[in-house]
Amino acid sequence: MLQIYCPHCQELRSEEEFSCGGEAHIARPLAPETLTDEEWGDYLFFRKNPRGIHHEMWYHVTGCRRYFNATRNTVTYEILETYKVGTQPSIVGEGV
Amino acid sequence: MKRYSGFSLLKNALSYHENWQKVWRSPKPKKEYDVIVVGGGGHGLATAYYLAKVHGITNVAVVEKGYLGGGNTARNTTIIRSNYLWDEAAQLYELSLKLWEGLSKELNYNVMFSQRGVLNLGHNLQDMRDIERRVNANRLNGIDGEVVTPERVKEIAPLINISRDSRYPILGASWQPRGGTARHDAVAWGYARGADALGVDMIQQTEVTGIRRKDGAVIGVETTNGFIGARKVACVTAGSSGVVAAMAGLRLPVESRPLQALVSEPVKPCLDTVVMSNAVHGYISQSDKGDLVIGAGVDSYNGYGQRGSFNVIEHTVQAICELFPAFSRVQMNRQWGGIVDTCPDACPIISKTSVDGLYFNCGWGTGGFKATPGSGFVFADTVANDRPHPLAEAFNIGRFNSGALIDEHGAAGVAH
Amino acid sequence: MKQLNRLPNAGRTNPDQNINFTFNGKAYQGVMGDTLASALLANGVDVVGRSFKYSRPRGIVGHGAEEPNGIIQLGSGAATVPNLKVTQVELYEGLEASSVNGWPTINFDLMGIMGWFGRLMPPGFYYKTFMYPQKLWMTYEHFIRKAAGLGKTPVEADPDVYDKLNQHCDVLVVGAGPAGLVAAREAAEAGARVIIADEQSEFGGSLLASTQILNGVSASQWVADMVEQLKRYNNVQQLPRSTVFGYYDHNFLTILEKRTDHLGLSAGKGQRVRQRLHRVRAKQVVLATGAFERPLVFAHNDIPGVMQASSVSTYVNRYGVAPGSKLILATTNDNAYQTAIDWHTAGRDVVAVVDSRQSPNGELVEQVRALGIQIAVGHGVIEAKGGKRVRAAMVAPLNESGSAITGEVKRLPCDLIATSGGWSAAIHLSSHTGAKPVWDESIVSFRPGDSKQQECSVGACNGTFGLRDGLIEGATAGAKAAQLAGFGLGAVQFSPVELVELTQEPQQALFLVPHSRPPSRAPSQFVDLQLDVSAGGIELAVREGFESVEHVKRYTALGFGTDQGKLGNINGMAILANALNQSISETGTTIFRPSYTPTTFGAIAGRDVGELFDPERYTSAHRWHVEQGAKFEDVGQWKRPWYFPKVNETLDQAVNRECLAVRNSVGILDASTLGKIDIQGPDAAEFITRMYTNSYLKLAAGKCRYGVMLKEDGMIFDDGVCACLSENHYLMFTTTGGAAGVLAWLELWQQTEWPELQVYFTSVTDHWATATVTGPNARKVVAKVCQDIDLTPDQFGFMDWRDGTVAGVAARVFRISFTGELSFEINVPANYGRYVWEALIEAGKEFDITPYGTETMHVLRAEKGFIIVGQDTDGSMTPADMNMDWIVGKNKAFSFIGQRSLSRSDTLRDNRKQLVGLKTIDPNIVLPEGAQIVSDPKQPIPMSMQGHVTSSYYSANMGHSIALAVVKGGLNRLGDTVYCPAADGATVPAQIVSSVFYDPKGERQNV
């Protein structure tokens, strides 16, 4: 069971307080109407799903109710960092 | 292939079982194959078997990074049913169920398909509307099923709690008598033995590390044991689909998540059917060995670790104790996790890709085991003819762009 | 009653305190401090069960978690427990136990006949037969199932209670043997918060059965001193009878503490907690879980009277029980010689020590020699003889590697064969973390792999089998763990324990003692006793092509028992490696998963069952509804009144009455469960407009608007009214079930996509109670209790809201309507909910105001064609599908959530399912909700389904049944007849009509 550091609360809390929001850093297209079905479908559904370093959103749902991002290894489940939305991760890896 | 039978068992017993034939050969890979199936799980082995059996394509290799049937085939809770809501899914799973019904005979291998029936419980009025809708759809699709009362549920599974005072009382259920369970390992081994006898090579302990392409078409796979040429490559790598797709520069609408399961210690027969509940999330059956086999939920995060978080186990065990208060004193023997590739609409992808000669069969989520024969059958047909089998058409990857999803989330009960 | 095998030196038991118990219906006596195993052995009970597959008689082999044979059913009735191990059940007065297999009795077992057919049942035999005809498999299976399984599950609800404790600590020490005890002491001394847990009833581990002297005192005394010392630290929590059964990610461990089991079944009487699950997050973990002695595998090594050498010593030294009289000790190592000494000291006869090594001369060996005990060096016990008890051992000389017999086989009479093939480190918990065990040839054992968590292994579980080394390792690790957790400098504080340890010579790796015949022909050489897996079976699996260790385990079932192969796994792997001509490392590793030992489901569930399975949510007027005899419906966690039956009324009768009352006079509904989100901020209107399909930019204060929310895939996800309370301040209503999801959805978009928008959300669902007064007389009722709002239509119109006072309570009143009638939704602070509700009931008396529930609400809205998200939609429906194109803003500046998806090729497709009304040709037939719709009732199966009925009721107001349905291209098929084939074979024809049945112009709500 994961233990997650909430960058807003600045505390290490148990996974049960959080829910995972999936891949982070997927920006909503600014002009959706100009996209083809292909491009729009990619935005909606297609994900990196790497084995290794993954940047993902977490929601401190029974805590501060704020979203933040985590860099987590999807094999070891080690959380390498958490950081606020709008900032960039300091750890980037080419997970496959 | 030497056939198995009671007689062969007797004969071999007389020679101290020293003369049994190997279930499959362990050949060195050839230089090139007509088709390479990547992934030696149940679906991959079934694909290879039907390529050889139905389509006469026998120059086939199954390349497996570990051992045959060692992925989700070895880790699931073995439930089989076909009572899916949407026509497309129902027809595919029903094809599968029909194949299950003759599979032991077909393979000359007892896969112990046991039609002990499947109950999907309803706990609120909307559950019951959904059950009614699904059972009606099943019936008109030629799939057996009925809506049953709590009292009938109790007859089928006597230890279940149908008290109206439960937190979420059982209001009824759908009942598919033809559903049931099978012996998971036997399915992989039976298909492997059958495919091997038809000439398919089982290449174990060999991991595919790349998909070699030339002019937009597949020419073979790179492996930990060197390059193997192939005109067609069929990927059936549940739990690693995204990773394999990336080798060909493709992305999939798939996320890989831990799915957990657990078994109790073996107890004398006490549950003669499969019971599934969506609202009180848990599902349970009893194996021939006597274990209560219990499926838990999918973890909320992506993971390749074949393990999940303990709170998921806790929630599931709570649900089981709620449904079967007598099981509270039974003990959990073992728990484990598998990796499931989940699609946004809880339906699989059985599809050609933008790369010529490259095919994908993935995204079965939590429902793959029951589909093993049907999945292999339609995928083999798709690969052999380079066009989707009619029952696979709706499961093309393009649906995520057109929007023609087959949403089994809503009304299909727990999608296991 | 005489306890034949009880020694005068009683070990740690109290011989003065007799305890009565029964086993298989026969009365026995044990003493205080016994386990059921030691008590049975004291009474000379040889056979405790029958084996799983061949029904062979089996006796007790071990003394702890490793026991494969002594599986029993404890007690009877609701509190019975299946599958406990006799070695782990503490004896209590009145204990009743019975064997789980054996029919009619374990001593005369008809299933034993199976044993004769054993040769017909090699591993995997069931895959090879029972295939034809496939239909008959279910019949075969019925008998297989009956024969399988161990104990019986209770059939009644569990009378006991369980709970959970969440704990945090700096250092968790698992195992209170010598290494664990000193580790805990060092960590405690450094100031760390320590939990030390051990599965046994008392701390001490192997020392409880040891004759070793430590610091000049007996092992028992040393343990007692240590426990006392630890007690003096208030930063140490000692947990005996507590098994750490799982090690999960991020140093989360689970401990099962058995609190009343040693006192008897259901000793807590449903009041005291039977078992407690500790959910521990530890900064550092020290694993000191010891090791399991490895049995020797030889022919018929399963006959009762073949035991673990260390277990024999444990029974003698700890329990004062000698399980036999004439011992043969078979060993590959010096260590086990202690058993010969212990047996000799107990005054019993050691027939011989049979050592596979050619010239053992260690100090312990010499001690045994000095006692005059015969030692057969370079020999092995190749076969046990006997039926329900060992009568003799067949002993033969072995070659140097132990792989072949080199001479004559001799028969040595005996009634006990103690065996030791060395020790296997108990690496289970480190294995749970994903650390891959590593085979170490020098100790003939796996060692824990590289740590994946903040943990270290010490002592025997780390492959450090010597006591002195284990103590040093434990102390060092304890200090280090404390330091890593932030306490102390990592230096050991206590002086080393003084003890004299004999030097030992190298052991021999021997996993299968050869027989004069090969494993395929020799009498079964059992590897996994519980599942009857033999060396021959493993070799057969290999012969058949199963070469991976996982295949072999699965094919033979090796290690799948309730002992999880604690005794058999290593021998099995080694036999496999040998058959494959590989080393053990090449063959693979062994992976353990939770649970370390079986764990009660009830404890895992804890208190979260029954009424606490999920919280129940009530509205503030709930008690009133209960008092009125309302029936309730579960909607999410809420209990909502479903209908309010009068005496003897059925659901239909009540609903018809309620429906008519609303349309003809006035009704009242508790709508408090609707989700309510308070939205504020300068960008609130812009934000809300992005979330709904329609625009809120021009919604004035005092006005309300109905909105539909889509997911980004264009499918309807929630709906409700949104009111502008004042500039930059809105109140959003959601569906009851969707409230939490909508709030999370709003937060997601604001926080992750548009943080530049200044807008804030607060859930106020529980802050407000809502009473909906609806019907032609609604205004008159409200007017009686509300004087400060001008209720006249031109001052307070449809889709307006007003602040005011209702029954003296500050209220927000909304003129929104889900019934199609004149409606006032009165919101008051929740604490006043019941008071205002009763005031409205009182005010409505003269109009016969009728409380109604969700069922009537559903009927009334269906008469109006209003959808319920989640009932008429299913996650695959767009607004256009619901015939609600009118709510989709086509010219919004910002592409609202889901908008782009509405123009995908599939969402633009003709022939999508669309919401329509259905009117049955026979007006009295109510279509079942969920009925499927076809165009041609005579079409053979599979039929082409056109859609389904989403909502269906008898409408008392219309005088006929009504239904809503989604039908392919339905909006272009008004007037067509379609058919609903029912389960009984009947087909109900119905006509496609408008989905609005009542007051199509919407005049009644707008008055």
Side-chain angles (χ1 to χ4, degrees), chain C residues 142-459:
Chain C
H142 177 74
F143 291 101
I144 291 174
R145 285 170 82 89
K146 269 179 95 162
L150 295 171
K152 293 192 184 85
T153 155
V155 295
E156 295 159 67
D158 193 333
D160 277 311
V161 289
Y162 304 84
D163 71 7
K164 298 187 189 180
L165 200 58
N166 288 299
Q167 299 226 62
H168 293 261
C169 67
D170 299 309
V171 179
L172 171 63
V173 179
V174 186
L181 286 170
V182 293
R185 183 173 63 172
E186 290 293 342
E189 180 66 20
R193 282 178 310 161
V194 176
I195 297 175
I196 177 167
D198 193 283
E199 63 180 347
Q200 298 205 52
S201 57
E202 4 176 28
F203 281 6
S206 59
L207 293 180
L208 295 172
S210 172
T211 51
Q212 181 76 45
I213 303 293
L214 298 91
N215 282 349
V217 297
S218 71
S220 288
Q221 189 56 50
W222 184 83
V223 169
D225 292 347
M226 283 296 291
V227 169
E228 265 318 301
Q229 274 190 48
L230 288 177
K231 265 190 196 150
R232 289 199 287 269
Y233 294 102
N234 56 16
N235 49 332
V236 175
Q237 184 182 1
Q238 299 190 30
L239 291 177
R241 298 191 176 94
S242 297
T243 307
V244 180
F245 66 88
Y247 196 148
Y248 302 87
D249 285 293
H250 298 191
N251 259 24
F252 181 84
L253 295 97
T254 47
I255 307 178
L256 181 77
E257 182 192 5
K258 296 181 175 165
R259 293 174 64 85
T260 65
D261 286 351
H262 60 291
L263 303 172
L265 283 175
S266 212
K269 303 193 187 323
Q271 303 296 315
R272 267 183 73 192
V273 168
R274 178 187 171 213
Q275 297 180 349
R276 173 173 292 159
L277 179 69
H278 297 257
R279 308 165 89 247
V280 181
R281 189 77 72 168
K283 283 192 184 143
Q284 295 289 322
V285 174
V286 177
L287 298 174
T289 50
F292 293 106
E293 194 168 26
R294 206 160 43 239
L296 286 171
V297 177
F298 52 89
H300 283 169
N301 56 337
D302 66 325
I303 297 173
V306 177
M307 295 179 74
Q308 302 275 94
S310 57
S311 300
V312 171
S313 282
T314 300
Y315 288 115
V316 170
N317 294 337
R318 180 170 173 187
Y319 298 102
V321 173
S325 50
K326 294 196 311 186
L327 170 76
I328 286 181
L329 172 71
T331 182
T332 61
N333 57 74
D334 281 13
N335 193 277
Y337 278 75
Q338 182 65 44
T339 300
I341 295 174
D342 294 338
W343 195 255
H344 180 83
T345 310
R348 306 254 165 154
D349 182 15
V350 181
V351 177
V353 176
V354 180
D355 192 325
S356 65
R357 298 170 297 175
Q358 300 297 324
S359 52
N361 294 305
E363 289 180 353
L364 212 46
V365 178
E366 294 308 332
Q367 280 190 11
V368 169
R369 278 210 179 100
L371 293 171
I373 294 169
Q374 184 199 339
I375 302 176
V377 298
H379 275 66
V381 171
I382 64 160
E383 185 176 343
K385 292 285 187 188
K388 289 170 193 155
R389 178 79 197 195
V390 167
R391 288 197 309 272
M394 307 304 285
V395 176
L398 305 178
N399 64 359
E400 199 169 334
S401 67
S403 61
I405 294 172
T406 56
E408 193 191 342
V409 182
K410 283 197 188 119
R411 180 189 167 102
L412 295 182
C414 64
D415 65 355
L416 180 64
I417 302 175
T419 84
S420 176
W423 292 79
S424 303
I427 51 175
H428 304 69
L429 289 173
S430 91
S431 181
H432 292 178
T433 69
K436 210 171 152 193
V438 181
W439 180 255
D440 185 340
E441 201 66 50
S442 72
I443 55 167
V444 197
S445 171
F446 278 101
R447 280 183 194 273
D450 288 342
S451 279
K452 301 284 180 190
Q453 301 283 346
Q454 299 298 312
E455 55 92 8
C456 69
S457 295
V458 298

